[in-house]
Amino acid sequence: MGEHPSPGPAVAACAEAERIEELEPEAEERLPAAPEDHWKVLFDQFDPGNTGYISTGTFRSLLESHSAKLDPHKREVLLALADSHADGQICYQDFVNLMSNKRSNSFRQAILQGNRRLSSKALLEEKGLSLSQRLIRHVAYETLPREIDRKWYYDSYTCCPPPWFMLTVTLLEVAFFLYNGVSLGQFVLQVTHPHYLKNSLVYHPQLRAQAWRYLTYIFMHAGIEHLGLNVVLQLLVGVPLEMVHGATRIGLVYVAGVVAGSLAVSVADMTAPVVGSSGGVYALVSAHLANIVMNWSGMKCQFKLLRMAVALICMSMEFGRAVWLRFHPSAYPPCPHPSFVAHLGGVAVGITLGVVVLRNYEQRLQDQSLWWIFVAMYTVFVLFAIFWNIFAYTLLDLKLPPPP
């Protein structure tokens, strides 16, 4: 940034104090919601020389004089971000972004610079919160490693929209399971029923040309034990993540894990069918656990080591059940039981795409080079799997089980 002429410190301080006192009450009343042209008028009051810059001291004074108009935690964030300008000056666009109370590029750049000192006590120390406020605070500490982000999220979250994606997927999975249970007359190890694979939602290697099966297999589960573990994991992990990161990001990770799971089976376990939502669930859980490990010192969630251990135990139990079932004598030979490789596909998505999605709160994905690298890797894998499904089965002269 180039040099900008400025008066002496004493003269500047006096002039700034006078300009703050000259602020009209009407302007003060409409300050928090002023459109950009009003911000320009206000900015010019503090920049009589039309240099395009004001000092961070002026900005701090302006914030403090209007502290009643801002949420307390957002005010702290704005002050911390103002302090991140090492040159001691704020340009007009930064001024508009900050005073408009937006998480724009100036916010993200300041956060990435590492200047995140907040003046008051941590959010965890606040008392007298309602049940809903404690829940939001708990979610913030479960998923976000930075105090500046936790405070911003705490003041910004309105539960509108609610975490509809994970709730909808879970309800659909339970509904389909109950329907199949009634139809088959079996709820435990439904996959052993002779008519189980006849469902049009299951991925079957002989029916791999029916593209919807690469996704709809998540609504079919091997049994209540399979459904139970997946539902518990995606509710305990997926719902809080969606509350923070939104349905778009979490849906992206979940669906990418689901598709990667079925494609991985079609490449690595070519004769096996696929059922269950483990690909999507493992993508979310592995991304969340990797995020905790990479930000271990910043994660202030209670019993984080115990929570990680419980999640890993549940994942290991579910994966072990899937491996055992895959090699258990099939109830409908020569077709084997469903594959466990979908779990591994979900984990691979979680520790690549998932980690990038969850790493920075509200940072735009298109601004991250690592995001594009993993998107490219995922795209190459999908294209490879598609060509593999088209040509490899014929070239290898593989003997597939008959269609259900």
Side-chain angles (χ1 to χ4, degrees):
M1 183 179 297
E3 296 182 359
H4 304 280
S6 58
V11 175
C14 181
E16 288 170 7
E18 291 175 357
R19 285 195 291 273
I20 291 174
E21 291 176 355
E22 291 171 1
L23 186 64
E24 296 179 359
E26 294 80 8
E28 179 174 333
E29 286 299 320
R30 62 175 182 266
L31 179 61
E36 187 165 334
D37 56 340
H38 290 173
W39 292 131
K40 178 62 176 172
V41 172
L42 182 61
F43 186 87
D44 289 342
Q45 294 181 35
F46 298 97
D47 181 30
N50 292 321
T51 64
Y53 293 85
I54 62 174
S55 70
T56 53
T58 299
F59 181 73
R60 289 181 63 89
S61 299
L62 186 61
L63 280 178
E64 290 169 357
S65 66
H66 295 85
S67 59
K69 307 293 184 180
L70 296 171
D71 292 323
H73 300 130
K74 290 181 182 177
R75 174 177 170 273
E76 286 188 49
V77 173
L78 293 172
L79 290 173
L81 291 170
D83 289 341
S84 70
H85 289 255
D87 58 1
Q89 293 180 318
I90 296 177
C91 69
Y92 171 67
Q93 189 56 53
D94 282 346
F95 176 82
V96 171
N97 290 340
L98 292 173
M99 293 305 291
S100 298
N101 217 16
K102 296 176 181 177
R103 299 270 303 201
S104 53
N105 286 335
S106 59
F107 277 80
R108 301 182 184 101
Q109 291 168 3
I111 289 174
L112 290 175
Q113 288 171 4
N115 189 347
R116 308 180 189 98
R117 294 189 182 92
L118 299 179
S119 58
S120 67
K121 63 183 179 181
L123 180 62
L124 193 61
E125 300 172 3
E126 296 194 3
K127 306 297 182 182
L129 302 181
S130 66
L131 180 61
S132 61
Q133 290 174 322
R134 290 199 298 269
L135 174 62
I136 296 171
R137 182 179 65 178
H138 173 77
V139 169
Y141 275 93
E142 284 291 308
T143 55
L144 297 172
R146 304 182 183 97
E147 185 69 15
I148 197 169
D149 283 333
R150 288 192 285 256
K151 289 190 172 185
W152 183 271
Y153 167 76
Y154 176 82
D155 281 318
S156 301
Y157 184 70
T158 60
C159 198
C160 184
W164 61 268
F165 177 80
M166 292 309 307
L167 295 177
T168 301
V169 169
T170 301
L171 289 174
L172 287 174
E173 290 172 1
V174 173
F176 276 104
F177 174 79
L178 294 176
Y179 173 79
N180 289 318
V182 173
S183 300
L184 301 175
Q186 185 173 338
F187 289 90
V188 178
L189 283 178
Q190 287 182 345
V191 72
T192 60
H193 194 283
H195 298 298
Y196 181 83
L197 291 184
K198 293 184 180 296
N199 194 291
S200 60
L201 301 178
V202 176
Y203 168 84
H204 190 282
Q206 280 282 20
L207 303 174
R208 63 188 184 280
Q210 299 176 358
W212 70 84
R213 293 178 180 265
Y214 290 91
L215 184 61
T216 58
Y217 74 92
I218 67 172
F219 300 116
M220 299 291 294
H221 284 78
I224 193 170
E225 66 290 341
H226 186 199
L227 175 72
L229 285 172
N230 280 342
V231 164
V232 168
L233 285 173
Q234 69 187 25
L235 288 180
L236 290 181
V237 176
V239 169
L241 288 178
E242 185 178 348
M243 289 174 64
V244 172
H245 296 283
T248 301
R249 291 192 177 207
I250 299 306
L252 173 64
V253 176
Y254 190 86
V255 173
V258 168
V259 174
S262 54
L263 290 177
V265 172
S266 71
V267 172
D269 197 2
M270 301 168 67
T271 62
V274 189
V275 297
S277 59
S278 298
V281 172
Y282 276 50
L284 288 178
V285 176
S286 59
H288 180 53
L289 295 182
N291 189 44
I292 292 178
V293 171
M294 292 192 317
N295 299 283
W296 187 261
S297 61
M299 299 299 291
K300 303 299 183 182
C301 51
Q302 292 182 323
F303 311 112
K304 58 185 176 184
L305 189 60
L306 176 61
R307 292 171 185 272
M308 284 190 63
V310 170
L312 290 173
I313 289 173
C314 290
M315 293 172 69
S316 300
M317 289 175 57
E318 208 279 321
F319 183 72
R321 180 211 57 79
V323 173
W324 169 82
L325 185 61
R326 171 64 178 85
F327 296 106
H328 189 270
S330 176
Y332 28 78
C335 185
H337 282 309
S339 176
F340 59 85
V341 177
H343 300 68
L344 304 180
V347 171
V349 168
I351 61 178
T352 52
L353 282 177
V355 166
V356 175
V357 169
L358 304 185
R359 184 176 61 182
N360 293 315
Y361 172 57
E362 281 194 347
Q363 183 179 359
R364 294 186 301 177
L365 295 177
Q366 58 266 36
D367 292 341
Q368 304 180 60
S369 58
L370 197 59
W371 158 256
W372 290 110
I373 293 173
F374 287 140
V375 166
M377 292 172 57
Y378 185 82
T379 303
V380 169
F381 166 72
V382 170
L383 292 175
F384 167 78
I386 290 174
F387 281 102
W388 181 273
N389 276 268
I390 295 173
F391 300 109
Y393 283 80
T394 303
L395 294 175
L396 295 175
D397 195 21
L398 194 67
K399 185 178 180 181
L400 295 177

